[in-house]
Amino acid sequence: MVMIQLEPGEIKKQRKLVIIWSVTFLVVFPVLITLGLLMRLRQGEDIKIGMDTFYALMTMHGLGMAGTLFSIAFAALWYLIATRHANLNLGVGYLVYFLNIIGGGGLFFATLIGRFGAGWYLLYPLPFKGANWPTWTTLITIISLIILGVAWLIGILHLIYRIAKEYGGFTNLLGWQYLGKKEVQKELPPIVLITTISLVPGVIAFLAGAVWMIIYLLKYFEPTLAFDPLLLKNLGFFFGHTLVNITLYCCVGWVYALLPEFTGRKWKTDKVLVYAWNATFFFILFAYFHHLYMDFVQPLPFQYAGQIASYLSAVPSTAITMFGVIVQLYHSKIKWGIIPLTFLIGIAGWAIGGFSAVVDSTIAVNTVLHNTLWVPAHFHTYMLTGVVLFILGFLFYMSHSKEEQERDKTGKLGFWLFVIGAHSFIAMFYMGGLKSIPRRYSDYSGIPISSTHSTGALLAQIAVVFIGLLLIGLTIMYFSILKKLFRRVANATGTVVSA
């Protein structure tokens, strides 16, 4: 596969940018986990925190995790594209980074200092009516989200423009040249195809999010204005659902790019891959409707579309990727270092979380499970045991050589502790969903059914133990990553760290 040729100095500069992103992620991520830990401690009645504090923690945990995971996923894609497939402007990369820091800092201030607690969804008219937080925190949250959206749009548009220029136009990025009878002139790497499929829907979603936030800004400065709550809910959930999904797909993109380095087999774009990911491109735009089943005033065709799109969006990309991974691994004589392990177990987390999401997106089932802990169960599955593992795999790729990651017993120990802790922690959510334990409750003491109260508190207490195991595993992996990463930074030669 033909790759662009860069001067060692340029590669070194791109590497420095992604390391800055990576270190920022490594600092912020455990802080956000700690917020989740405090929430489960409160639900387990192990600590006492006010309801206003709980919902502020929940808001920051949700917004922070979604934004942080997407940002590092985008940064990793940026690095892989910039050093292999297209020239990306380093100044734009740093602009996106600093805008993220400003927007993220604003959210931290509004929630953890100002106690803004409307949830990530800012469900209208809640931020303006019935709020128990200062009004200025609403303004800071709105502005911070706008800044983040602008940052992501700038980065995505620049990246898409540069790869379109490199590969001969937007339709070539979608792989349509593989569907005709003519011979393909320039091979399209799967990571470029998946980057396009992931980020273009993101542009549409971020524009919807911008409209959503601008409406809120107008409402803030002119309280007499009134808007349709269902319209704003559609805009909000389209933005949020798409953000989470494209984060996952961004990570899957580098599995296609990096796994072949460990199996020794090429992973090429072909018609089947193009059809599968183009289908995902279409269905991802409509799957969010399954979040609104409970809104009886939503037009009925939208509800049916949500179920159909949810089913169909889960099949093509997942099936083709899992089959591709099997083909890559079968009789490949791969040495199971920590990097291929994170990719394989991450794919499993994606599949498990995706399946449980499809279960919940079934209208008949959703009427039972929608407001239970089954919902945080499914998205924690594909985010914590899918996206996070992919990200950790990339960080090991940046810090370890191929031989080092094979010999890294410390990193593997941390990995398995993390995986066991994460899946066990998530299992408490699934059990809670099956027991009808409600989600978004600060505690369960007010539930008049004693068995529901006691079960919810017990599951939260058990979950806390597994969060502790998860954090131990994460700490061990951190030690392994940072030790190697800082050593490589100190001895940087300007060459790509290749597995």
Side-chain angles (χ1 to χ4, degrees), residues 129-431:
K129 294 184 179 179
N132 59 357
W133 49 81
T135 57
W136 60 264
T137 63
T138 301
L139 178 62
I140 289 180
T141 301
I142 293 169
I143 293 174
S144 298
L145 289 173
I146 290 174
I147 291 172
L148 288 171
V150 169
W152 295 333
L153 277 172
I154 291 172
I156 290 173
L157 291 173
H158 175 71
L159 194 155
I160 294 295
Y161 170 75
R162 286 299 177 92
I163 57 176
K165 188 176 180 181
E166 185 72 27
Y167 288 91
F170 180 70
T171 57
N172 283 347
L173 297 183
L174 296 173
W176 291 1
Q177 66 273 29
Y178 286 85
L179 306 181
K181 296 181 179 180
K182 294 182 179 180
E183 183 179 350
V184 176
Q185 298 298 316
K186 186 173 184 177
E187 186 178 347
L188 181 71
I191 188 175
V192 176
L193 169 66
I194 296 170
T195 295
T196 306
I197 298 297
S198 303
L199 297 184
V200 173
V203 171
I204 301 171
F206 295 155
L207 290 174
V211 172
W212 178 42
M213 286 295 99
I214 290 171
I215 289 174
Y216 273 25
L217 202 59
L218 293 173
K219 175 70 175 178
Y220 180 86
F221 287 111
E222 184 48 71
T224 60
L225 291 174
F227 300 95
D228 182 356
L230 185 58
L231 170 63
L232 295 180
K233 187 173 183 180
N234 271 275
L235 290 172
F237 276 85
F238 175 50
F239 163 74
H241 175 90
T242 307
L243 173 64
V244 169
N245 275 262
I246 66 174
T247 300
L248 177 58
Y249 295 147
C250 286
C251 296
V252 171
W254 70 67
V255 174
Y256 278 76
L258 301 182
L259 186 59
E261 296 185 15
F262 299 89
T263 63
R265 293 174 174 171
K266 294 182 179 180
W267 200 340
K268 293 185 176 182
T269 300
D270 55 23
K271 284 186 178 182
V272 177
L273 194 71
V274 171
Y275 277 125
W277 281 98
N278 273 256
T280 299
F281 176 90
F282 177 77
F283 292 124
I284 193 177
L285 297 174
F286 302 98
Y288 86 93
F289 285 131
H290 66 238
H291 289 282
L292 284 80
Y293 289 155
M294 297 297 170
D295 296 277
F296 59 89
V297 293
Q298 181 91 325
L300 196 59
F302 287 1
Q303 310 291 45
Y304 292 145
Q307 177 163 321
I308 294 169
S310 298
Y311 274 55
L312 295 178
S313 67
V315 175
S317 59
T318 309
I320 196 69
T321 301
M322 292 180 69
F323 181 78
V325 169
I326 292 170
V327 171
Q328 281 283 313
L329 296 176
Y330 186 67
H331 284 188
S332 67
K333 296 181 181 180
I334 187 173
K335 293 183 179 180
W336 286 104
I338 192 169
I339 296 173
L341 276 174
T342 59
F343 291 164
L344 180 63
I345 305 302
I347 291 290
W350 173 26
I352 297 167
F355 175 77
S356 58
V358 168
V359 169
D360 186 47
S361 69
T362 304
I363 293 174
V365 178
N366 187 267
T367 58
V368 178
L369 295 179
H370 178 77
N371 283 317
T372 71
L373 290 179
W374 185 276
V375 177
H378 82 67
F379 65 70
H380 275 88
T381 304
Y382 56 69
M383 294 301 279
L384 185 59
T385 62
V387 168
V388 172
L389 287 182
F390 293 142
I391 292 169
L392 290 170
F394 175 78
L395 295 179
F396 274 102
Y397 182 83
M398 293 300 298
S399 59
H400 288 57
S401 69
K402 185 176 181 179
E403 292 73 22
E404 287 172 339
Q405 63 92 30
E406 290 172 0
R407 297 192 303 264
D408 191 353
K409 294 182 179 179
T410 302
K412 286 182 184 178
L413 172 63
F415 167 79
W416 287 116
L417 290 175
F418 179 88
V419 169
I420 294 169
H423 276 288
S424 301
F425 155 69
I426 293 166
M428 299 305 105
F429 278 140
Y430 281 117
M431 292 175 65

Side-chain angles (χ1 to χ4, degrees), residues 45-120:
E45 301 175 6
D46 296 311
I47 62 172
K48 291 184 178 181
I49 57 176
M51 189 179 296
D52 59 336
T53 301
F54 177 90
Y55 287 109
L57 297 179
M58 187 184 77
T59 302
M60 188 61 234
H61 179 75
L63 286 171
M65 279 296 187
T68 299
L69 294 178
F70 174 75
S71 295
I72 186 63
F74 176 75
L77 264 190
W78 176 286
Y79 173 77
L80 292 172
I81 295 294
T83 56
R84 297 167 181 233
H85 304 299
N87 291 296
L88 301 182
N89 187 290
L90 197 64
V92 174
Y94 276 103
L95 174 63
V96 173
Y97 172 77
F98 285 116
L99 288 176
N100 268 268
I101 294 298
I102 295 170
L107 291 179
F108 266 105
F109 188 75
T111 54
L112 302 187
I113 304 300
R115 294 293 190 271
F116 179 81
W120 75 262

